[in-house]
Amino acid sequence: MEVAKIIDVGKNFYSGAKTALGCARELAQESFKNPVVRANAKNALPLAILSAGAFSTFSLLPNRKGDGKQGKLERTSGKLASIAFAVAGFKKFFNVPTMKLKELSILLKKMKFKDALEILKTNKENIVIYALMVAGVRVVTDLVTKGLDDKVIEEFQPQKLGD
């Protein structure tokens, strides 16, 4: 492969990623202009902080701290926190009918997207901010877990496995 082709592929990838991020940023900014969406996000923020903080404490569990590697539970804490927030924050973001979550999921799977938006009495902006908050909980949890893990290693200086 020629160097020029490699450079072109890299430039195309960069410009595509930049365009996609720009569109996502504009969509998020437009979503936050809606006062209902801002209120929903403000109501769900304490729940997001609580789930990120609670699942970040997995880094305090004893494991092979001396080798600097995180255990399986620590690595999956971000995913678990985002799932917990997604389930718990659903009612904060959407007008859920008085049915159970399982019944609602079965009902929503069988219908079209537009009908589902009408049942939930929501719009695209609400869904965008909900998805961003779920992703944000995962990122924050992963960062805090890694930071706490490094702090525990630095503070207590545990022995390496086999010492």
Side-chain angles (χ1 to χ4, degrees), residues 7-92:
I7 291 171
D8 287 343
V9 168
K11 285 181 180 177
N12 289 339
F13 177 76
Y14 173 75
S15 66
K18 186 177 176 182
T19 304
L21 285 174
C23 290
R25 185 178 59 108
E26 287 178 23
L27 187 60
Q29 286 177 341
E30 289 296 320
S31 297
F32 268 117
K33 289 181 181 177
N34 188 339
V36 175
V37 173
R38 274 198 315 264
N40 289 345
K42 191 182 282 187
N43 289 340
L45 191 60
L47 189 60
I49 292 169
L50 179 69
S51 61
F55 283 93
S56 295
T57 59
F58 286 170
S59 63
L60 301 177
L61 294 173
N63 63 1
R64 303 179 318 254
K65 296 284 185 202
D67 60 6
K69 294 182 180 177
Q70 290 186 326
K72 185 176 183 179
L73 190 58
E74 291 171 314
R75 287 191 308 268
T76 60
S77 64
K79 185 187 294 185
L80 295 173
S82 64
I83 291 170
F85 172 72
V87 170
F90 192 78
K91 283 193 173 190
K92 298 275 187 188

Side-chain angles (χ1 to χ4, degrees), residues 85-106:
F85 172 72
V87 170
F90 192 78
K91 283 193 173 190
K92 298 275 187 188
F93 269 90
F94 305 109
N95 182 19
V96 181
T98 57
M99 38 176 85
K100 294 182 180 177
L101 195 60
K102 188 173 183 178
E103 295 172 359
L104 184 65
S105 67
I106 291 170

